[in-house]
């Protein structure tokens, strides 16, 4: 709560200075982010995720320690930086979240419906998937993004993801690129990364998932896309759907070379 | 001779490879739409047909970044959109600027999380500077501060502002701005209120 009031105070100060002092505003936001980063509650999600990873769970009483999320069974460190990728066992391109669901079904014996019962946490409801994602992604901190996109299905996902990024639709004619296709744009006071440009794409992608102060939850990349499309006035993006993975492939590959540094903290 | 046969075989393989893997832009767009149709589900007012594109949306999706839209394609889009603008039957364009300010501030409307029974907003401030008082404005669109003070308070300018809010694409193909009248986001009365915010001499936009 103290943190939220602090944030409001900062935002208010920012609003006062916005017009003439854009540069100092950005510096203040950076300082604020750095200060928050010292005590990121995402650590709690990471710790719970590590427990979930190691616990035998589900009808088959299996842990995730035989789950291959990209670098071989049980390898967590660095795995997020090669995702999404093609997996021969499912014959599909998968992102981290779809891969976790796959392991919950094939290794642990959950039904797909059980595995996806609570994909996003909310007041009084915890999501195991958000915790697992926090643990796995946190294990890639400091490692460079290195998505291959060389398998024909990976190339196809990338190419389709790119078309989805530029797909204008809905009553407002918005595409992802409407807000994320040019330099130095802002919605209200919120800076928008230009995801078609290397430096911005790297900085944005490597900062997700994030603990959202305003929501009190760790939000995953699937959530980020789901909520962007909601604001875009599109229908509801289904969790781990092919389009969500294709778009993630486009954005992740464009961030190659960027040093991964999340879960982060965002307002 | 052996070398030549070898080259022919290699060329043949390259040709076969291209024939089997080349995917045209139209095919990629069709693949993307088909994939989206299986990846989204309708929720409340947001039905799956929102993923379908009219000519403007399709062309503006295709041409972006380094792929510049041919001039004649853009001009045709603008002309098509202009023909679809419905100007007010009573010939007046100005409503109440105070109501216009509320519409400019409100970002509510058309999301699957919104109640369609409530009036929609236009969220003008998300992208434009409009008044001196509101500092939390975006920069996706140009500043509209002093809109009429700079351009004149003429009936022609009022009509232009109405048309622009009604259908931005009619004046600037592939503009980022929603077509507020064309797409049924704002009512005629609401558009007049927004035009008043831009055009009324008493509006803070022109102070």
């Amino acid at each position: 709560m103290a943190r939220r009031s602090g944030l409001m105070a900062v935002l208010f100060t920012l609003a006062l200075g916005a017009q003439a002092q854009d540069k100092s505003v950005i510096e203040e936001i950076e300082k604020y982010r750095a200060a928050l980063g010292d005590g990121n509650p995402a650590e709690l999600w990471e710790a719970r995720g590590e427990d979930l990873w190691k616990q035998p769970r589900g009808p088959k009483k299996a842990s995730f320690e035989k789950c291959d999320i990209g670098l071989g069974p049980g390898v967590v460190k660095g795995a997020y930086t090669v995702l999404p990728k093609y997996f021969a066992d499912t014959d599909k391109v998968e992102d981290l979240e779809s891969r976790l669901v796959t392991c919950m079904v094939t290794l642990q014996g959950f039904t797909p419906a059980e595995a996806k019962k609570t994909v996003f946490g909310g007041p009084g409801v915890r999501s195991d998937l958000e915790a697992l994602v926090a643990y796995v992604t946190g294990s890639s901190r400091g490692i460079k993004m290195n998505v291959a996109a060389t398998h024909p299905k990976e190339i196809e996902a990338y190419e389709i993801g790119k078309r989805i990024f530029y797909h204008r639709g809905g009553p407002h004619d918005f595409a992802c690129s409407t807000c994320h296709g040019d330099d130095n744009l802002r919605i209200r006071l919120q800076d928008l990364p230009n995801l078609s440009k290397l430096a911005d794409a790297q900085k944005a992608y490597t900062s997700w998932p994030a603990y959202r102060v305003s929501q009190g939850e760790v939000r995953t990349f699937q959530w980020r896309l789901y909520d962007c499309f909601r604001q875009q006035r599109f229908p509801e993006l289904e969790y781990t759907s092919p389009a969500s993975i294709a778009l993630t492939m486009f954005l992740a590959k464009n961030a190659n070379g960027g040093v991964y540094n999340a879960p982060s903290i965002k307002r | 001779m052996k070398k030549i046969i070898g080259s022919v075989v290699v060329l043949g393989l390259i040709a076969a490879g291209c024939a089997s893997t080349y995917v045209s832009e139209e095919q990629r767009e069709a693949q993307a739409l088909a994939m989206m149709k299986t990846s989204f589900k309708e929720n409340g007012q947001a039905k799956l047909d929102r993923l379908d594109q009219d000519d403007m949306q399709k062309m503006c999706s295709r041409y972006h970044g380094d792929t510049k839209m041919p001039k004649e394609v853009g001009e045709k889009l603008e002309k098509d959109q202009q023909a679809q603008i419905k100007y007010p039957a009573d010939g007046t364009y100005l409503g109440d600027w105070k109501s216009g300010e509320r519409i400019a501030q409100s970002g509510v409307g058309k999301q699957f999380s919104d109640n369609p029974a409530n009036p929609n907003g236009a969220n003008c401030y998300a992208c434009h500077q409009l008044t001196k008082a509101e500092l939390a404005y975006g920069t996706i669109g140009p500043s509209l501060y002093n809109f009429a003070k700079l351009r004149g308070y003429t009936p022609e300018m009022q009509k232009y502002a109405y048309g622009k809010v009604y259908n931005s694409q009619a004046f600037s193909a592939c503009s980022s701005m929603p077509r507020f009248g064309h797409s049924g986001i704002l009512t005629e009365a609401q558009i007049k209120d927004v035009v008043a915010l831009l055009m009324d001499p008493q509006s803070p936009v022109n102070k």
Side-chain angles (χ1 to χ4, degrees):
Chain A
M1 195 57 209
R3 179 170 278 132
R4 282 189 203 184
S5 332
L7 178 64
M8 292 314 290
V10 169
L11 288 179
F12 184 68
T13 317
L14 295 182
L16 289 177
Q19 204 167 3
Q21 303 163 27
D22 275 359
K23 207 176 159 203
S24 67
V25 166
I26 291 161
E27 282 165 8
E28 284 305 311
I29 292 175
E30 292 297 338
K31 267 192 244 166
Y32 177 68
R33 283 192 185 132
L36 279 178
D38 287 341
N40 185 347
E43 288 166 13
L44 302 173
W45 272 253
E46 290 178 48
R48 190 162 71 85
E50 186 172 5
D51 287 345
L52 287 168
W53 182 269
K54 291 173 178 167
Q55 268 172 36
R57 299 175 72 227
K60 293 187 185 172
K61 303 258 181 291
S63 76
F64 277 92
E65 285 165 302
K66 287 206 171 79
C67 177
D68 177 1
I69 49 169
L71 295 177
V75 181
V76 177
K77 189 179 166 68
Y80 193 61
T81 61
V82 302
L83 292 171
K85 77 186 282 285
Y86 173 78
F87 288 88
D89 60 349
T90 55
D91 192 30
K92 280 180 187 163
V93 175
E94 298 191 75
D95 66 346
L96 173 60
E97 285 159 83
S98 57
R99 200 59 197 164
L100 290 171
V101 169
T102 293
C103 288
M104 286 171 86
V105 172
T106 59
L107 286 176
Q108 299 184 319
F110 290 107
T111 66
E114 284 164 350
K116 292 195 263 190
K117 192 162 169 265
T118 309
V119 296
F120 307 135
V125 193
R126 292 199 302 188
S127 162
D128 289 347
L129 279 160
E130 282 176 344
L132 283 161
V133 166
Y135 166 59
V136 171
T137 55
S139 306
S140 285
R141 280 201 187 91
I143 301 172
K144 281 185 180 172
M145 289 301 302
N146 185 25
V147 177
T150 47
H151 185 279
K153 289 204 175 179
E154 292 170 349
I155 294 169
E156 184 181 78
Y158 179 88
E159 289 296 330
I160 292 176
K162 185 178 177 181
R163 293 343 181 263
I164 295 172
F165 182 79
Y166 290 106
H167 185 98
R168 295 188 77 163
H172 284 53
D173 302 323
F174 290 154
C176 305
S177 59
T178 305
C179 294
H180 294 290
D182 274 301
D183 290 347
N184 303 318
L185 296 182
R186 231 171 56 196
I187 284 186
R188 294 281 183 165
L189 290 179
Q190 177 70 51
D191 289 320
L192 300 165
N194 177 0
L195 298 178
S196 62
K197 204 175 81 177
L198 182 65
D200 275 20
Q202 289 175 332
K203 198 176 165 205
Y205 192 82
T206 57
S207 71
W208 283 95
Y211 176 79
R212 295 301 297 257
V213 177
S214 53
Q215 301 181 11
E217 294 285 348
V218 166
R219 293 307 190 193
T220 62
F221 204 69
Q222 283 278 336
W223 178 88
R224 177 62 280 174
L225 298 183
Y226 162 92
D227 206 51
C228 269
F229 280 119
R230 178 181 66 84
Q231 295 175 72
Q232 218 171 301
R233 276 78 179 176
F234 277 31
E236 184 181 339
L237 182 67
E238 294 208 62
Y239 193 74
T240 66
S241 57
S244 72
I245 294 168
L247 182 54
T248 302
M249 173 59 98
F250 174 67
L251 298 169
K253 183 175 184 288
N254 289 351
N256 268 352
V259 177
Y260 188 71
N261 188 28
S264 66
I265 184 164
K266 295 173 190 278
R267 74 174 174 83
Chain B
M1 189 59 197
K2 201 174 172 189
K3 199 180 238 169
I4 293 174
I5 293 171
S7 306
V8 170
V9 170
V10 169
L11 284 176
L13 285 175
I14 292 170
C18 290
S20 62
T21 55
Y22 176 74
V23 184
S24 72
E25 188 51 40
E26 286 78 4
Q27 285 170 312
R28 282 290 185 216
E29 288 167 6
Q31 285 177 338
L33 181 60
M35 187 185 275
M36 290 170 89
K37 290 264 176 158
T38 67
S39 298
F40 287 82
K41 61 181 177 194
E42 72 171 55
N43 184 344
Q45 60 182 313
K47 311 291 185 207
L48 280 180
D49 62 6
R50 289 192 177 183
L51 300 170
D52 294 324
Q53 296 177 301
D54 68 10
D55 279 353
M56 185 289 289
Q57 291 170 331
K58 197 176 279 182
M59 287 299 127
C60 295
S61 296
R62 187 174 299 172
Y63 297 102
H64 56 79
D66 297 334
T67 323
K68 284 268 176 286
M69 175 176 273
K71 200 165 161 250
E72 63 275 16
V73 175
E75 283 169 356
K76 185 179 180 299
L77 285 179
E78 288 171 6
K79 223 176 131 198
D80 290 349
Q81 299 294 315
Q82 266 166 34
Q84 297 180 58
I85 298 180
K86 289 196 190 91
Y87 288 98
D90 66 2
T92 70
Y93 305 104
L94 295 190
D96 169 13
W97 71 258
K98 284 177 187 160
S99 165
E101 167 69 12
R102 284 192 293 275
I103 294 165
Q105 289 284 3
S106 168
V108 166
K110 298 282 189 188
Q111 301 182 33
F112 61 67
S113 51
D114 289 326
N115 179 353
N118 296 333
N120 295 329
N123 213 6
C124 310
Y125 283 105
C127 301
H128 297 283
Q129 180 187 28
L130 285 152
T131 60
K132 275 241 174 223
E134 180 54 83
L135 295 168
Y137 60 85
T139 60
I140 294 174
S143 171
L144 302 176
Y145 181 60
N146 281 351
F147 183 86
K149 204 173 173 182
L150 293 170
R151 294 168 179 80
Y153 296 91
T154 62
E156 291 75 23
M157 192 53 68
Q158 291 176 13
K159 186 179 179 186
Y160 166 76
Y162 187 95
K164 180 80 182 176
V165 176
Y166 189 96
N167 188 338
S168 57
Q169 305 289 342
F171 305 90
S172 174
C174 303
S175 156
S176 295
M177 182 168 148
R179 294 172 287 180
F180 287 102
H182 178 88
S183 303
I185 303 162
L186 299 181
T187 64
E188 181 180 296
Q190 282 182 307
I191 298 175
K192 285 184 178 184
D193 291 343
V194 173
V195 172
L197 180 67
L198 294 168
M199 295 297 304
D200 195 311
Q202 299 311 311
S203 160
V205 168
N206 297 310
K207 294 291 179 190

